[in-house]
Amino acid sequence: MPPSLPIYMDNASTTRTDPRVVEAMLPYFSEIYGNSASRNHCFGWDAEHAVNTARRQAADLIGAGPKEIIWTSGATESNNLAIKGAARMYAKAPAGESGRGHIITAIHEHKAVIDPCKRLEREGFDVTWLEPGEDGLITRAMIEAALREDTILVTIMWANNELGTINEIPAIGALCHERGVVLHTDATQWVGKMPTNVETDNIDLLSFSGHKIYGPNGVGALYVRRRRPRIRLEAMIDGGGHERGMRSGTLNVAGIVGMGAACALCSAEMDAEGERLFQLRTRLERSLVDSMDVVQINGNIEKRLPHITNISFGFVEGESLMMGIKDIACSSGSACTSASLEPSYVLKALGVGDELAHSSLRLSLGRWTTQEEVDYASLQIREAVEHLRAMSPLYDLHNEGIDISTIEWDAH
Ligand code: PMP
């Protein structure tokens, strides 16, 4: 039976909120609507109780203590709080002066890490921007080579959102702890999909988000280590002193309840779901790679999340490819920046050429992806690629064995 259309294969962008999560949230809009900071009546106590339950659920998912969870509006805010908060707290010189301290990050991090680091650069911090290898990975050795006497913070994502590639965070964390440097990891794509234990994984600060794990939008969390060592942060939002003074503002109780429920479901179902998605992704990749030439999977092939694939199709034009697979919601290797189509900076960081970056797709499977959907998507993509190649004179030349890169084009 053909699947119902359109097909959602963009789960790395956001996920459908699990109906069980919606169910858990509903009472907190109209029945238990107190302010969780209201200490003198039962409406407040009930809300606070719900927030604490969710705190425990989020903490359990990552092997933390409940007091180490700070609620935020999402991973963007968690990253900002972690990076700016730690840098400003551990700065070696006052604001306005140079030489405030050294930070290590990478050029293909999410913008929610890159932009806070750029701001800190303007504030007098020194930032080392590591470049990944062709496989997209940042290794312990790369961090070790970049560490300096004045390094105060390392911020490296656990899994890349465009590629799904996995960095060796536990090894990087061990190194940071040996050197007394704070480690933050943007684990937005990792948490809820892969087992996490902030203790044994040697992490000080970890960002994650509700809407990537089948919870609601607009709620996220930051793990802040309390012991060995205790990490302190300068707050970005001042006010009523909520969340141990690190993030003031009345809590989004319904959202937090939803994120807690989403975390509990991930804890229970992650292993089986990961295996199922791995099988589906393998089926999808095999059917594309085995049936066509000039198809390349980007990023390290082994060290990847089970549900994401990033594939380039040579000799097709990216926009036309996207038009040809209108029933499949996925992301392209291009980003629209101010009216111009830019190739993905992540793919560029791996050395993927502009042409190939433009003709890349990121397909990310999720909790409701079926085998029928995978097979249908594969067929659609193959048909679209073959159709476009049939019209491509360059592909004809390639088939005749001519190396396109050696052709000298006449510029009349
Ligand atoms: N970091 C990564 C790696 C992400 O994939 C995303 C979401 N695209 C974010 C941060 C931002 O998360 P949020 O939407 O919760 O602010």
Side-chain angles (χ1 to χ4, degrees):
M1 220 184 47
S4 63
L5 302 176
I7 293 171
Y8 191 68
M9 287 206 177
D10 206 13
N11 287 277
S13 289
T14 195
T15 55
R16 170 186 172 199
T17 307
D18 192 302
R20 294 169 290 180
V21 168
V22 175
E23 191 72 22
M25 292 172 69
L26 285 176
Y28 294 90
F29 291 101
S30 46
E31 289 160 42
I32 310 164
Y33 48 80
N35 184 327
S36 61
S38 294
R39 286 280 152 79
N40 36 11
H41 54 69
C42 61
F43 291 85
W45 301 331
D46 289 349
E48 191 191 16
H49 177 72
V51 166
N52 286 340
T53 302
R55 216 184 276 288
R56 159 68 59 199
Q57 290 166 321
D60 283 350
L61 181 61
I62 60 166
K67 289 187 179 155
E68 296 175 307
I69 299 294
I70 304 294
W71 297 117
T72 65
S73 62
T76 300
E77 186 188 335
S78 299
N79 286 346
N80 272 268
L81 174 57
I83 295 168
K84 293 180 197 164
R88 290 172 187 162
M89 181 58 81
Y90 295 101
K92 291 181 182 296
E97 290 183 19
S98 62
R100 300 189 70 201
H102 176 231
I103 298 166
I104 300 173
T105 189
I107 58 170
H108 62 323
E109 288 282 319
H110 192 274
K111 292 283 184 196
V113 166
I114 292 179
D115 288 352
C117 287
K118 282 190 181 161
R119 184 174 297 278
L120 290 171
E121 243 175 356
R122 295 195 293 274
E123 286 180 13
F125 292 90
D126 229 356
V127 179
T128 293
W129 299 92
L130 295 176
E131 294 180 17
E134 266 179 25
D135 60 2
L137 300 184
I138 297 294
T139 61
R140 175 187 158 123
M142 293 179 188
I143 303 285
E144 194 155 20
L147 278 171
R148 302 191 329 209
E149 273 301 301
D150 62 340
T151 307
I152 52 174
L153 175 69
V154 170
T155 172
I156 294 292
M157 71 201 324
W158 208 328
N160 185 279
N161 48 300
E162 287 194 30
L163 308 163
T165 46
I166 297 169
N167 290 319
E168 48 185 16
I169 291 300
I172 292 172
L175 172 67
C176 289
H177 281 177
E178 277 164 30
R179 303 290 181 90
V181 173
V182 176
L183 172 69
H184 166 250
T185 186
D186 175 355
T188 311
Q189 298 289 345
W190 169 275
V191 163
K193 316 289 161 61
M194 301 294 273
T196 310
N197 185 311
V198 286
E199 260 336 299
T200 50
D201 295 332
N202 310 310
I203 293 158
D204 296 321
L205 297 163
L206 174 143
S207 306
F208 57 122
S209 183
H211 73 103
K212 307 283 184 180
I213 57 170
Y214 311 97
N217 266 304
V219 55
L222 178 66
Y223 157 76
V224 183
R225 175 177 285 279
R226 266 167 74 86
R227 253 184 257 119
R228 287 176 288 115
R230 183 187 186 88
I231 304 296
R232 293 179 307 133
L233 298 177
E234 188 183 293
M236 287 196 309
I237 301 176
D238 297 316
H242 307 71
E243 299 299 278
R244 292 170 42 222
M246 282 187 252
R247 205 278 191 173
S248 288
T250 300
L251 294 184
N252 166 12
V253 177
I256 289 168
V257 165
M259 179 150 172
C263 289
L265 289 171
C266 286
S267 294
E269 298 175 5
M270 170 189 335
D271 291 350
E273 190 165 305
E275 181 55 32
R276 190 184 78 87
L277 292 176
F278 177 76
Q279 301 296 345
L280 286 179
R281 188 202 46 197
T282 305
R283 186 179 174 96
L284 176 64
E285 287 183 341
R286 285 273 64 82
S287 70
L288 293 171
V289 173
D290 291 350
S291 61
M292 291 186 288
D293 63 347
V294 216
V295 176
Q296 137 188 338
I297 298 173
N298 296 308
N300 188 294
I301 205 82
E302 305 289 333
K303 296 177 181 159
R304 277 190 303 159
L305 293 176
H307 62 292
I308 299 179
T309 183
N310 188 309
I311 312 187
S312 302
F313 303 89
F315 303 103
V316 300
E317 201 271 310
E319 280 310 288
S320 315
L321 177 58
M322 289 300 279
M323 294 292 281
I325 55 165
K326 276 214 211 76
D327 289 334
I328 299 154
C330 64
S331 291
S332 77
S334 317
C336 216
T337 31
S338 62
S340 77
L341 213 51
E342 293 268 336
S344 144
Y345 70 94
V346 172
L347 292 176
K348 279 182 90 161
L350 271 60
V352 177
D354 286 5
E355 292 280 323
L356 215 48
H358 276 307
S359 59
S360 303
L361 300 177
R362 178 193 67 183
L363 299 149
S364 43
L365 315 183
R367 194 167 277 172
W368 291 278
T369 306
T370 64
Q371 185 170 309
E372 288 70 34
E373 288 182 331
V374 163
D375 291 347
Y376 185 87
S378 164
L379 187 68
Q380 289 276 297
I381 294 168
R382 274 180 282 150
E383 281 179 3
V385 170
E386 277 156 18
H387 174 70
L388 292 168
R389 284 182 178 174
M391 300 186 298
S392 162
L394 290 180
Y395 188 58
D396 284 345
L397 292 175
H398 164 80
N399 279 338
E400 285 163 26
I402 297 166
D403 181 354
I404 312 288
S405 62
T406 61
I407 297 176
E408 285 184 23
W409 301 102
D410 202 345
H412 288 303

